């Protein structure tokens, strides 16, 4: 009898909660913390430092959203998720948003019922080779042995690329990135292929990084971005425009250094609208007028986040490439703040 | 005929003094001769084995001891090593352990509260001492009784009233049983002793704890998300080990029961849990339960994992103990019956002490297995020591460091598992009654 009561209570509670689950913003405000799903550890994107503070490029997005919503970039509960648990964690409401190097694909967006709010990093599959191989283009890799993670899209992308270019290769299947590094360094394969950001991080960990090069060819599209659940568009808007605020701030030249000065008023109405000194953008999102100011003060604008975590002055040393502003020939292009 | 004997010169009258044994059969040389070089085949085996061990140690010892402790990143380590030894090959970089050992031990637990898990661990040792060793003062068993309520309070914090009201439930059960057993008999007493505490926990404990929470005695609340490292492994391991033994005993007895329903439930449970991999149960705990629960319910992830691991351990424990029960001669059961003992008395006084003694090696290896299996929680995103090794490598300062972290984790696990194994051998010797 107890069991029936228990399940009955669960059902009722489930129905009641289902009706009330729409307002993520209210939940977050009431909790006073943003539950943000991140990776359990990915170089440059999410990692705990020796004091247990989470750092990284994806973590920066979480902090910006927390700052915009709650006014405090440290009001985030970071929930480490693995590739297997990330989607259920989001779907079940354990986390409010996921910022974990997740590629925006059709099925994830449509079939899994998530909403990708934008792209914070345009990645793509690349090739890492030793310099002594004397190769300058992936098209010269005919007959090479390639270390590749089994059962991933990288495996399929690789097969496609070599078939299209009519060259042959010999795959060396490996299980994890750690294994790949060891195999590649031991000379078990000529080429290591995975996402370009991962290649850069792997290369940076080598004893002599200059003896290895990442080839210029990128053979797949991997737009990585934060995502939220279907069904709460207001919350999706908040995450989307928090990310957009970081990107547009770079375009408009607003940085964490000059933001206080700009708050005094500028001649550019878009900056004023972004910073809340003009218009009511914050109110429309259900946030304070200075939501974007707080988001920008959390870790700086997009360029600042990029440079501190994965940019050319860090050990990972990624160039902006596709992740430059559209004005600089990249793909970052936010809709206008108006 | 004494005079004749004195005339026979070739009969020795007194004993020769004992001579020292030949040098080749005593001391170190003797041992070596007897154990290593007794036959040509043994000589060959010994030489090959010593050569192999020497080869391993010649690589391992410099790696462990000619290493770097003071460095803030892998690159700094490499610089220091290549300056000191010429090549970076074959020297460990323990700087990562020096920087992260607290994190590997406590996870993200707030440093100002480290004393709480440490105290909980010390109390754990005090708690299990009277259970493990006979010579320890029996009065310490009071600590053992309090510990299950004290430990969660220390680890998670919050007000003291939650654990206290939970403990009161057991006290109620005890007194109800005592009072009812005299008046109404055992069966009614057992039912009342189960029902009343349940009613207390379900309906009264909550409001009472709520009322009392006005009196602010307690510790700062620490969320489960902050648990990690060896603390997490030990927490899951200790709770699973502590709970699985009693549950396992009940299940094993249930499986041998004559009552059809009890028997089928126990058999079904054991076979179901044993037929499913632990990793599947963990995924159920981390993902599937989330979907069944109404959104917003906060059913603690660590609690879910602990429950799953405990059930898993209990099913295995039940089979190990059933093995012990099956090994007992039938005469023991019949003897107990002939003494006029009832079922529980027979189990407590005759059957279980013997069955458990037989099962000790199996029980301890289940314990060790469960403790090691706790690292599987890294797959569902909990940062146990193995999960943390990945997270630490994600820091660009330590990207590319593998063996040092794995070696450290392996060493700590070895210390715990080896102590458990030695204890079980001690227990077997102590309980040995055969001659």
């Amino acid at each position: 009898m107890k069991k029936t009561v228990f399940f009955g209570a669960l059902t009722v509670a489930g129905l009641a909660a289902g009706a009330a689950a729409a307002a993520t913003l209210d939940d977050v405000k009431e909790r006073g913390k943003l539950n943000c799903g991140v990776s359990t550890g990915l170089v440059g994107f999410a990692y705990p430092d020796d004091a247990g503070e989470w750092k990284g490029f994806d973590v920066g997005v979480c902090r910006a959203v927390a700052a915009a919503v709650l006014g405090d970039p440290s009001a985030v509960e970071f929930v480490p998720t693995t590739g297997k648990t990330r989607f259920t964690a989001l779907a079940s409401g354990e986390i409010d948003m996921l910022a974990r190097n997740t590629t925006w694909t059709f099925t994830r967006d449509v079939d899994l019922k998530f909403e990708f709010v934008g792209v914070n990093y345009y990645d793509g599959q690349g090739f890492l080779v030793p310099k002594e191989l004397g190769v300058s283009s992936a098209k010269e890799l005919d007959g090479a042995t390639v270390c590749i993670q089994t059962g991933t899209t990288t495996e399929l992308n690789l097969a496609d690329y070599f078939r299209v270019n009519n060259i042959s290769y010999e795959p060396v299947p490996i299980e994890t990135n750690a294994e790949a590094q060891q195999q590649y360094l031991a000379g078990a394969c000529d080429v290591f292929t995975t996402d370009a950001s991962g290649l850069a991080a792997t290369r940076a960990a080598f004893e002599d990084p200059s003896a290895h090069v990442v080839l210029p060819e990128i053979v797949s599209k991997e737009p990585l971005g934060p995502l939220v659940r279907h069904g709460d568009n207001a919350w999706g808007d908040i995450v989307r425009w928090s990310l957009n605020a970081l990107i547009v701030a770079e375009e408009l030249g607003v940085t964490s250094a000059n933001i206080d000065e700009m708050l005094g008023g500028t001649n550019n109405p878009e900056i004023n609208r972004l910073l809340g000194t003009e218009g009511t953008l914050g109110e429309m999102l259900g946030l304070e007028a200075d939501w974007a100011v707080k988001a920008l003060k959390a870790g700086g604008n997009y360029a600042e986040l990029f440079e501190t975590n994965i940019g050319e002055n860090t050990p990972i040393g990624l160039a902006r490439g596709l992740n430059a502003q559209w004005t600089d020939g990249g793909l970052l292009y936010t809709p206008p703040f108006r | 005929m004494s005079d004749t004997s004195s005339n026979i010169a070739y009969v020795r009258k007194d004993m020769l003094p004992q001579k020292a044994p030949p040098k080749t059969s005593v001391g170190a040389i003797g041992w070596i001769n007897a154990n290593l070089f007794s036959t040509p085949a043994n000589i060959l085996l010994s030489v090959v084995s010593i050569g192999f061990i020497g080869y391993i140690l010649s690589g391992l010892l410099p790696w462990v001891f000619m290493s770097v402790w003071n460095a803030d990143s892998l690159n700094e380590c490499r610089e220091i090593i290549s300056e000191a030894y010429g090549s970076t090959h074959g020297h460990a970089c323990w700087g990562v352990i020096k920087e992260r050992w607290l994190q590997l031990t406590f996870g993200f637990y707030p440093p100002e509260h480290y004393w709480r898990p440490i105290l909980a661990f010390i109390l754990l040792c005090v708690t299990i001492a009277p259970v493990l060793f006979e010579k320890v003062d029996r009065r310490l068993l009071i600590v053992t009784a309090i510990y299950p309520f004290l430990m969660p309070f220390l680890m998670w914090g919050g007000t003291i009233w939650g654990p206290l009201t939970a403990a009161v439930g057991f006290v109620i059960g005890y007194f109800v049983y005592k009072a009812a057993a005299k008046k109404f008999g055992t069966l009614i007493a057992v039912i009342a002793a189960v029902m009343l505490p349940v009613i207390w926990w379900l309906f009264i404990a909550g409001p009472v704890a709520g009322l009392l929470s006005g009196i602010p005695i307690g510790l700062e609340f620490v969320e489960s998300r902050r648990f990690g490292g060896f603390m997490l492994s030990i927490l899951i391991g200790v709770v699973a080990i502590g709970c699985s033994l009693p549950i396992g005993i009940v299940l094993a007895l249930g499986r041998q029961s004559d009552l059809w329903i009890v028997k089928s439930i126990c058999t079904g449970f054991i076979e179901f849990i044993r037929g499913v991999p632990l990793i599947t149960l963990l995924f159920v705990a981390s993902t599937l339960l989330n979907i069944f629960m109404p959104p917003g319910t906060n059913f603690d992830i660590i609690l879910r994992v602990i429950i799953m691991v405990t059930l898993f351990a209990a099913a295995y424990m039940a089979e190990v103990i059933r093995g012990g029960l099956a090994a007992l001669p039938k005469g023991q059961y019949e003897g107990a019956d002939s003494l006029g003992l009832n079922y529980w008395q027979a189990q407590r006084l005759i059957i279980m002490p013997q069955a458990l003694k037989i099962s000790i090696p199996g029980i301890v290896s289940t314990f060790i297995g469960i403790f090691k299996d706790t690292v599987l929680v890294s797959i569902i995103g909990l940062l146990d020591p193995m999960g943390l090794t990945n997270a630490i490598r994600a820091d660009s300062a330590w990207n590319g460091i593998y063996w040092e972290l794995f070696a450290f984790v392996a060493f700590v696990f070895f210390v715990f598992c080896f102590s458990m194994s030695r204890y079980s051998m001690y227990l077997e010797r102590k309980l040995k009654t055969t001659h």
Side-chain angles (χ1 to χ4, degrees), chain A residues 10 13-14 17 40-44 46-50 52 54 77 79-80 82 84-85 88 92 94 178 181-182 201 205-207 315, chain B residues 74 78 88 99-100 103 108 223 225 283 286-287 290-291 293-295 304 378-381 383 390-391 393-396 399-400 402-403:
Chain A
L10 267 188
T40 49
L42 186 67
V43 185
Y47 64 91
D49 69 1
D50 55 341
W54 283 87
E77 197 63 56
V79 181
T82 67
K84 294 183 182 74
T85 61
T88 33
S92 67
E94 194 183 344
Q181 289 191 22
Q182 303 282 330
F206 289 167
E207 262 189 87
Chain B
L74 182 57
R78 282 169 174 163
T88 57
E99 185 186 298
R100 300 290 185 128
Q103 195 171 54
F108 300 98
E223 283 170 77
R225 289 273 162 226
F283 274 123
S286 93
T287 58
N290 267 346
I291 293 170
M293 298 290 213
R304 280 182 271 166
S378 63
I379 298 192
I380 55 167
L383 291 178
N390 183 44
R393 256 200 311 276
D395 186 343
S396 54
N399 184 14
Y402 299 95
W403 299 110

Side-chain angles (χ1 to χ4, degrees), chain A residues 26-324:
Chain A
D26 295 337
D27 292 348
V28 172
K29 279 185 172 163
E30 192 191 318
R31 206 187 301 131
K33 285 225 162 175
L34 172 75
N35 289 339
C36 191
V38 291
S39 161
T40 49
L42 186 67
V43 185
F45 287 86
Y47 64 91
D49 69 1
D50 55 341
E53 282 285 307
W54 283 87
K55 300 242 169 94
F57 190 60
D58 282 340
V59 168
V61 176
C62 295
R63 292 200 188 278
V65 174
V69 174
L70 301 165
D72 179 6
S74 60
V76 194
E77 197 63 56
F78 290 101
V79 181
T81 57
T82 67
K84 294 183 182 74
T85 61
R86 55 181 166 183
F87 294 128
T88 33
L90 182 59
S92 67
E94 194 183 344
I95 54 178
D96 304 313
M97 60 177 283
L98 180 68
R100 188 201 179 278
N101 264 65
T102 305
T103 308
W104 186 349
T105 66
F106 183 95
T107 45
R108 285 171 182 175
D109 199 337
V110 179
D111 196 32
L112 291 181
K113 306 216 176 332
F114 294 130
E115 187 181 348
F116 283 83
V117 300
V119 176
N120 70 335
Y121 190 84
Y122 288 96
D123 213 338
Q125 190 178 339
F127 299 97
L128 181 69
V129 294
K131 210 170 237 172
E132 60 183 23
L133 211 60
V135 172
S136 58
S137 156
K139 290 182 181 136
E140 299 166 26
L141 287 175
D142 196 11
T145 49
V146 184
C147 274
I148 182 138
Q149 260 172 289
T150 49
T152 59
T153 48
T154 46
E155 200 178 8
L156 306 175
N157 294 334
L158 181 77
D160 288 355
Y161 181 78
F162 276 72
R163 210 176 88 192
V164 167
N165 288 292
N166 204 16
I167 46 180
S168 69
Y169 71 101
E170 197 183 320
V172 178
I174 43 111
E175 202 52 50
T176 62
N177 198 41
E179 193 191 341
Q181 289 191 22
Q182 303 282 330
Q183 294 280 15
Y184 173 77
L185 283 179
C189 48
D190 305 323
V191 189
F192 173 37
T193 178
T194 186
D195 285 352
S197 61
L199 286 182
T202 303
R203 179 172 169 266
F206 289 167
E207 262 189 87
D208 181 13
S210 60
H212 304 268
V213 281
V214 177
L215 297 179
E217 281 87 356
I218 296 293
V219 300
S220 74
K221 289 187 288 188
E222 313 281 348
L224 311 175
L227 53 153
V228 296
R229 278 182 296 280
H230 263 188
D232 187 355
N233 295 27
W235 175 248
D237 287 344
I238 289 171
V239 182
R240 173 180 299 112
W241 288 95
S242 300
L243 175 64
N244 284 347
L246 301 182
I247 297 173
V248 86
E250 187 196 359
E251 188 186 334
L252 299 173
V254 184
T255 66
S256 55
N258 66 14
I259 193 165
D260 283 323
E261 191 184 317
M262 290 202 170
L263 273 173
T266 62
N267 296 329
N268 185 334
E270 189 161 13
I271 293 180
N272 294 346
R273 282 195 297 272
L274 173 71
L275 301 184
T277 49
E278 252 180 66
T280 55
L281 294 186
E283 195 186 315
M284 291 176 203
L285 282 174
L287 303 176
E288 309 278 322
D290 61 349
W291 64 283
V293 179
K294 289 173 187 154
L296 285 167
K297 279 185 174 171
N301 65 24
Y302 184 90
E304 289 170 271
L305 273 180
F306 196 99
E307 289 312 323
T308 30
N309 293 304
I310 51 180
E312 280 175 323
N313 296 322
T314 64
I316 304 160
L318 290 173
R320 286 296 288 272
L322 287 178
N323 298 292

Side-chain angles (χ1 to χ4, degrees), chain A residues 6, chain B residues 151 156 224 232 235-245 247-248 251 269 272-273 277-278 280-286 289 293 298-316 370 374 377 380 382:
Chain A
F6 178 66
Chain B
M151 189 274 283
W156 276 276
S224 289
L232 181 65
L235 176 71
I236 298 175
V238 164
V239 177
I241 286 170
C243 297
S244 67
L245 188 60
I247 300 176
L251 284 172
F269 175 85
F272 174 73
I273 297 279
L278 177 58
T280 317
L281 292 176
L282 291 178
F283 274 123
V284 168
S286 93
L289 279 182
M293 298 290 213
N298 192 9
F299 187 12
D300 197 283
I301 175 78
I302 289 182
L303 203 57
R304 280 182 271 166
V305 166
I306 287 178
I307 291 171
M308 284 300 179
V309 176
T310 305
L311 294 182
F312 185 78
Y316 276 86
I370 284 299
T374 56
V377 300
I380 55 167
L382 292 181

Side-chain angles (χ1 to χ4, degrees), chain B residues 121-174:
Chain B
F121 186 74
I122 293 171
L123 283 178
L124 172 72
C125 300
V126 176
T127 300
I128 56 175
V131 182
L132 297 186
F133 302 104
E134 260 181 352
K135 285 174 194 154
V136 178
D137 195 336
R138 295 286 98 190
R139 276 170 293 181
L140 274 179
L141 280 171
I142 297 171
V143 183
T144 313
I146 297 172
Y147 191 73
F149 306 99
L150 188 63
M151 189 274 283
F153 172 64
L154 276 176
M155 297 295 284
W156 276 276
T159 75
I160 199 167
W161 303 113
L164 264 188
T165 46
V168 166
F170 285 97
V171 177
I172 291 176
Y174 175 74

